Amino acid sequence: MVPSEYRLPDPAQRDLDAEALLALGRLDGALGACRPTTLRLFAVRLLRDLLIAVLRQEGHAFTGQRFHAWFAGVATLSDLPPRLGRPPRVLCEAVLTELTHSSWELLAELAARFQAVLLAPGDHIGSDLADETARQDAHAIIAAAHDLIVGLAPSPHPLSALACLHRAAGEHVLFTPPERAPEAIAMGSIRLTVERAGAPSPRWALEMLWGEHWHSAGLLAHALPFPGLIRLDALRTDTPSHPWEPDEAPTIVATALRDVAQGLCSNLTAADQLARRLEDSQPGKRRSSRAPALLELLAGFGPMRSAQIEALLGATRLGVRTMLDALDRIGMLERTTLAGVHLYSVNLDARVADDGNDLAVSSTFSSAALGEYEAAMAGIDALLARSGVSLDEADWEDEP
C-alpha cells in the first residue's frame, strides 16, 4: 500500500506517484539491459552533467563550451564569479574524489581517470591557505551529506524515502535554503544596509550520494548520481513571510523523481543511439584498438585537448595525433582553438549522412532483447506492487 502521507483526496496525486515509480522502474530495467558501450557513454555523460550541475547550483554561470575550456585549463569558468559560490576547481576535485569510492565500478573508474585531466586553473592564485580551507569546506559538505543519509530510517518505498530525505535536509543547518540577512555596506561616508541571501544550499552532495542509498535497498542496478532530485521548494520551513503548506510536499517530491528519472532514461536512450552510430563510424577499426575509445571519450564527455586525451587513453602524443588525423581525414574531427590550445570534438552527422543509414533505430528485436524487456517489466511490476499500484493501473498512453 502507498504510505498514508501520500493518500490524498485528489486522485491526481496517486496518478503522479504511479508516474514517478514507473519512471524509476523503467530506468532500472533499462540500466540492467543496456550494452556495455551504451553504459560507458551514459556514465561519462552523467559524470560531466553532475559536475556542471554542482557548479551551477553553487551559482556559477557559464555555457557548456566555457565549461570544457575551463576543464581543459584554457579559460576561467566565468567572467563574474558569484559572490558566495564555492570555488569551482575545489568543488570538482571533491566530487571526483568522492565518486572514486562509488559502488558502481564504472563510475568510480571514470572519476579516477578524470581526476588526472582536470586542468582547470586554480581558484586562489598564490594562496595555499585559502585553497586548503576551501577543500576542507567541500569535503565537510560531503561528509555531512553522508551522515544525513545514513541516519535516515530504511524504507522500501522510493517516494517515502525521498520525502524523508527532503524533510531531513530541510531541518539540517547546512542544507536548508538560506534566509536573507541584513548586511552593512559603506560607500565613503554613506552607510547602507541591504538584504542578501547566504551561500546556496549544497544539495548537490545529497544528489550525488542518494543513488548509493537506493542501490543498497535493491531499487537500482547501479548507484547513480541524481542531479536535480532535491527540490528547494520542498526544503522550506515555516517563516512569517513564506508559510509552509505540507500538502505540497508529496506533489513536489513525486514530480522531482518522475522528471529526473525520465531525464536519465532519455539520456540512456540517447547513449544507446550514439553507441550504434559510433559502431558504424569508427575509422581504422582494424588498425588501432584505441580508436573506439577515443570516439567514446570525445562523443561522451565533449571537447578535450590532446594532453587530456593522452592521459585518459594512456597513449603517447604521437599515437593521439595519429588517431586525431584519422578522424580529420574523414571529416569527423572538429577543432576549436583557445589561447593557442586546440580542443578536439567529433562530428558524427557528416559520417552518418554519408552512410545513408538510420543507425539510431532498429526495426527488429532479438529473442534475447525481448527476454531482457520482459525481465525489466517484471522488475517494474514488483516495484509498483510494493507501492500498491499495478501495471494495469499505470498510464501507458505515452509509451513510445
Side-chain angles (χ1 to χ4, degrees):
M1 295 295 292
V2 176
S4 59
E5 64 189 284
Y6 287 98
R7 294 190 199 129
L8 299 179
D10 186 359
Q13 181 64 51
R14 182 176 175 83
D15 292 341
L16 181 58
D17 290 350
E19 290 176 11
L21 294 171
L22 187 59
L24 185 62
R26 283 173 171 164
L27 173 62
D28 183 52
L31 284 169
C34 67
R35 301 177 302 159
T37 303
T38 297
L39 197 60
R40 288 196 301 270
L41 285 166
F42 172 74
V44 73
R45 287 194 164 187
L46 182 56
L47 176 63
R48 178 200 63 188
D49 292 346
L50 175 64
L51 294 174
I52 290 175
V54 169
L55 295 171
R56 286 182 172 158
Q57 283 187 18
E58 288 289 331
H60 298 279
F62 54 90
T63 63
Q65 184 179 18
R66 186 70 172 257
F67 168 79
H68 288 101
W70 171 79
F71 201 89
V74 297
T76 58
L77 184 61
S78 56
D79 295 325
L80 295 173
R83 183 176 63 91
L84 294 174
R86 297 172 180 91
R89 182 185 170 97
V90 164
L91 286 170
C92 286
E93 288 174 341
V95 168
L96 291 171
T97 298
E98 179 59 33
L99 290 180
T100 61
H101 306 296
S102 173
S103 64
W104 185 12
E105 293 182 1
L106 175 57
L107 184 62
E109 186 264 342
L110 279 172
R113 292 169 66 191
F114 274 88
Q115 277 183 314
V117 298
L118 174 58
L119 305 180
D123 298 313
H124 304 285
I125 303 300
S127 177
D128 294 338
L129 178 59
D131 274 338
E132 184 59 30
T133 301
R135 287 191 185 92
Q136 292 175 356
D137 179 46
H139 288 291
I141 290 170
I142 294 173
H146 267 295
D147 293 342
L148 186 150
I149 292 174
V150 170
L152 296 177
S155 172
H157 190 283
L159 287 172
S160 178
L162 191 53
C164 290
L165 174 64
H166 275 80
R167 281 197 298 270
E171 295 169 358
H172 196 286
V173 65
L174 181 60
F175 297 107
T176 190
E179 293 290 332
R180 299 183 70 85
E183 180 179 331
I185 297 179
M187 296 184 295
S189 60
I190 302 175
R191 296 186 177 276
L192 301 174
T193 300
V194 298
E195 280 195 352
R196 284 182 172 172
S201 168
R203 62 192 190 280
W204 51 264
L206 298 169
E207 295 169 348
M208 176 176 64
L209 299 172
W210 186 245
E212 292 284 356
H213 184 77
W214 272 346
H215 174 65
S216 63
L219 295 174
L220 284 176
H222 303 295
L224 306 182
F226 281 87
L229 186 63
I230 306 299
R231 289 279 301 268
L232 289 178
D233 48 353
L235 300 184
R236 294 182 301 169
T237 54
D238 279 316
T239 62
S241 57
H242 296 92
W244 173 234
E245 298 181 19
D247 286 351
E248 296 177 356
T251 299
I252 295 172
V253 169
T255 300
L257 175 56
R258 180 199 63 189
D259 292 349
V260 171
Q262 287 179 347
L264 289 172
C265 210
S266 295
N267 292 346
L268 190 59
T269 300
D272 188 58
Q273 293 173 350
L274 180 58
R276 296 177 189 277
R277 297 174 73 180
L278 290 179
E279 288 174 0
D280 220 65
S281 304
Q282 292 171 7
K285 284 186 279 190
R286 297 177 183 175
R287 295 191 302 272
S288 172
S289 61
R290 293 184 181 181
L294 172 62
L295 277 172
E296 283 186 24
L297 285 172
L298 294 180
F301 189 79
M304 286 185 284
R305 63 193 294 178
S306 178
Q308 293 173 299
I309 298 171
E310 292 165 23
L312 287 169
L313 295 182
T316 64
R317 181 177 300 180
L318 179 60
V320 169
R321 183 179 301 171
T322 301
M323 287 184 278
L324 292 172
D325 287 344
L327 291 177
D328 197 20
R329 283 195 299 271
I330 59 174
M332 292 178 62
L333 187 68
E334 293 187 347
R335 181 188 291 106
T336 303
T337 303
L338 295 171
V341 176
H342 298 313
L343 297 182
Y344 300 98
S345 58
V346 293
N347 177 11
L348 297 176
D349 293 336
R351 182 72 174 181
V352 171
D354 291 342
D355 293 342
N357 296 322
D358 183 1
L359 301 174
V361 180
S362 174
S363 59
T364 59
F365 296 91
S366 66
S367 58
L370 290 174
E372 291 173 346
Y373 175 79
E374 293 296 336
M377 295 308 295
I380 296 170
D381 197 9
L383 176 63
L384 293 173
R386 290 200 293 268
S387 309
V389 181
S390 70
L391 285 173
D392 294 334
E393 294 173 322
D395 183 3
W396 294 93
E397 292 181 0
D398 294 329
E399 179 68 20

